[in-house]
């Protein structure tokens, strides 16, 4: 609990670090743990509360660490276990929390468990993975597709069976119906929890349990050309099975053996199914990641609807959360444009629920175009040319104007954005009106304003490009007015009340302005205004 009596993960702001791209300390062009330690003061100044690291465990890197070959080690590329322990201590002594990525759905094909499992049909680990006889025609057992292209089944000639992989061939899925698998992963969780980590972001948690009969998935009637091929079939039988909630609850119980920790689930599902991951009586994940803002059309009316649908779908007592970007989706600054990226920041940091920031979004990093011969992402390699590549949102953090943006003294593993000599932390920090200054001001405002951290949310009717809502806690109320268009708009005081005062504009130039009668917003402007507390 923090001072206000709320659990830290409710009042806090989360920040995702993609370790390969944050800070290189040993001149190999890839970020590492010591690099993260070096940059912790930056995160403290930014004002975030918890750091989530994408995987740092031993891995052949077929999917850049989401293919783990040893769950309780550190890949030498990122450092040593001593470095990790130093990081945890440094994170905690900086007043931050530390979240690790847990990837329980699949291992690397090089994990010792899978090496054993594929050894023979009667190996004790055979049933740790999902093995099936060929279909009647000798082909794959069913029509399930890999998210990264092709069939989700790979034939293993020596044992004459297929194994299932929802992602790459090199990422065989574990069999979560096997209690021994569950116990093994729960022990992995305990290993890291004992080391002091404050929680997990669980990779593709909605994938863990598959249909017991492995029925064919139905075709997707809404499939459009140009979309990734795996979307041709729905995932009715391959994901989001009812029994998965039992597993999520078990994971939650493991975290609770260690006190106040958090369980976050990566889940791409429609809102009404997403919220089931809070579990019966909220005994599931505390934060089933809400990615609605990542995929929405950027318009005031669609966002208003998403917020209403989400708020309406939350089970009683469930705490909301919002995400604007991650290492799998195009950068927000490219999705919504540079001007709207500031409005998006204000939205993220004024909604009800824990916000998660993706590294670099706070300096407005955009999607970097990667030349075809420089592509590293296996998704883009397998399904080229339709824009699924994830390298462009994983480029090195732009720290300063020195060579390689201060990220590394040697050539980075992915090319840098061409504008890094001006779009970097040092420059933007020196500019009182930069997007970085805006992020810092928003984070500070959120923290000092209980109405924003924990207050109620209520929509206010608005038209066109205007998105309007109120946040209210005991004795305090603020109204957020966001202009999602490029033309000016006006908000009448009947919508927001009289005697209001601007607390923050996305342009950072009208603090303390009194609003009498009408609040005028410039194109692409958002403001937070303090308003008289109607309830008070
Ligand atoms: C998750 C990760 C993604 C990875 C996939 C397979 O969606 O975020 O990066 O490729 O799982 O592990």
């Amino acid at each position: 609990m923090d001072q206000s009596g709320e659990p830290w993960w409710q009042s806090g702001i989360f920040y995702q670090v993609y370790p390969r791209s944050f800070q290189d300390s040993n001149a190999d062009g890839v970020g590492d743990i010591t690099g993260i330690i070096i940059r912790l003061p930056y995160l403290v100044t930014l004002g975030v509360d918890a750091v989530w690291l994408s995987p740092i465990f031993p891995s052949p890197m077929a999917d850049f660490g989401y293919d783990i070959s040893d769950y309780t080690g550190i890949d030498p590329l990122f450092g040593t276990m001593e470095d990790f322990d130093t990081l945890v201590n440094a994170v905690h002594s900086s007043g931050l929390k530390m979240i690790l990525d847990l990837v329980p759905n699949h291992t690397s094909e090089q994990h010792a468990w899978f090496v054993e499992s594929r050894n023979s049909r009667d190996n004790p680990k055979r049933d740790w993975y999902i093995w099936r006889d060929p279909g009647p025609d000798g082909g794959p057992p069913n029509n399930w597709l890999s998210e990264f292209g092709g069939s989700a089944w790979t034939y293993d000639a020596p044992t004459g069976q297929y194994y299932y992989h929802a992602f790459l061939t090199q990422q065989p899925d574990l069999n979560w119906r096997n209690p021994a698998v569950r116990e093994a992963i729960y022990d992995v969780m305990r290993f890291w929890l004992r080391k002091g980590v404050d929680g997990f972001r669980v990779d593709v948690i909605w994938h863990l349990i598959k249909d017991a009969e492995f029925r064919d998935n139905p075709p997707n009637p809404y499939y459009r050309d140009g979309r990734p091929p795996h979307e041709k079939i729905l995932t009715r039988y391959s994901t989001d099975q009812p029994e998965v909630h039992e597993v999520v609850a078990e994971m939650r119980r493991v975290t609770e053996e260690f006190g106040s920790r958090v369980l976050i689930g990566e889940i791409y599902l429609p809102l009404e199914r997403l919220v089931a991951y809070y579990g019966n009586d909220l005994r599931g994940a505390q934060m089933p990641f809400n990615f609605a803002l990542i995929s929405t059309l950027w318009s005031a009316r669609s966002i208003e609807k998403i917020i209403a649908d989400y708020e309406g779908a939350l089970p009683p007592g469930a705490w909301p959360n919002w995400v604007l970007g991650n290492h799998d989706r195009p950068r927000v600054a490219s999705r919504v444009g540079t001007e709207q990226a500031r409005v998006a920041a204000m939205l993220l940091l004024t909604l009800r629920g824990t916000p998660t920031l993706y590294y670099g979004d706070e300096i407005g990093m955009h999607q970097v175009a990667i030349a075809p011969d420089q592509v590293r992402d296996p998704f883009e390699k397998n399904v080229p040319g339709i824009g699924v590549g994830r390298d462009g949102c994983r480029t090195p953090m732009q720290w300063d104007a020195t060579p390689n943006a201060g990220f590394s003294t040697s050539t980075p593993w992915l090319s840098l954005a061409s504008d890094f000599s001006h779009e970097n932390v040092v420059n933007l920090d020196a500019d009182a009106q930069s997007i970085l200054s805006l992020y810092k001001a928003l984070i500070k405002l959120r923290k000092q304003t209980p109405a924003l951290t924990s207050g109620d949310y209520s929509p206010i009717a608005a038209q066109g490009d205007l998105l309007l809502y109120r946040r209210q806690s005991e004795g305090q109320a603020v109204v957020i007015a966001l202009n999602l268009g490029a033309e000016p708009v006006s908000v009448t005081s009947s919508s927001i009340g009289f005697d209001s005062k601007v607390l923050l504009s996305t342009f950072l130039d009208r603090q303390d302005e009194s609003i009498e009668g009408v609040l005028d917003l410039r194109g692409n402007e958002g403001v937070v205004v303090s308003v008289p507390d109607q309830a008070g």
Side-chain angles (χ1 to χ4, degrees), residues 187-201:
D187 280 344
V188 168
M189 295 173 71
R190 292 185 183 102
F191 174 87
W192 295 108
L193 289 164
R194 254 181 242 117
K195 282 195 169 282
V197 312
D198 300 289
F200 299 100
R201 170 270 189 192

Side-chain angles (χ1 to χ4, degrees), residues 23-72:
Q23 178 65 57
D24 176 18
S25 75
N26 64 348
D28 63 358
V30 177
D32 46 48
I33 293 174
T34 303
I36 300 169
I37 298 173
I38 293 168
R39 295 300 185 178
L40 280 181
Y42 167 75
L43 297 180
V44 172
T45 317
L46 182 60
V48 298
D49 303 282
V51 188
W52 150 37
L53 302 188
S54 283
I56 47 172
F57 318 106
S59 164
M61 302 289 165
D63 190 20
F64 296 109
Y66 285 96
D67 50 322
I68 296 173
S69 53
D70 173 4
Y71 279 107
T72 53

Side-chain angles (χ1 to χ4, degrees), residues 8-9 13-19 36 49-57 66 84 87-88 91-92 96-102 192-193 196-203 255 260-265 286-287 289 354 356:
W8 59 271
W9 50 268
I13 296 170
F14 284 56
Y15 184 96
Q16 179 188 358
V17 165
Y18 192 67
I36 300 169
D49 303 282
V51 188
W52 150 37
L53 302 188
S54 283
I56 47 172
F57 318 106
Y66 285 96
F84 178 79
L87 173 66
V88 175
V91 164
H92 286 157
L96 307 178
K97 303 283 186 185
M98 171 91 198
I99 310 297
L100 283 186
D101 220 305
L102 180 75
W192 295 108
L193 289 164
V197 312
D198 300 289
F200 299 100
R201 170 270 189 192
V202 186
D203 193 63
T255 63
S260 176
R261 314 288 167 113
V262 71
L263 191 68
I264 304 170
Q286 290 109 322
M287 283 174 44
F289 261 156
T354 303
T356 298

Side-chain angles (χ1 to χ4, degrees), residues 63 66 106 148 167 171 201 203-204 266 327-328 390 394:
D63 190 20
Y66 285 96
H106 44 267
F148 291 156
F167 297 91
Q171 293 170 295
R201 170 270 189 192
D203 193 63
V204 298
E266 184 207 19
H327 64 293
D328 294 325
R390 301 171 297 174
R394 298 173 174 180

Side-chain angles (χ1 to χ4, degrees), residues 6 87 108 156 161 163 168 185 283 297 300 349 363 382 416 488 510:
E6 287 146 10
L87 173 66
S108 160
D156 182 62
Q161 284 189 312
Y163 67 86
L168 297 174
I185 295 289
R283 303 300 305 146
L297 187 72
L349 289 155
I363 57 168
N382 287 359
L416 278 152
R510 54 194 290 194

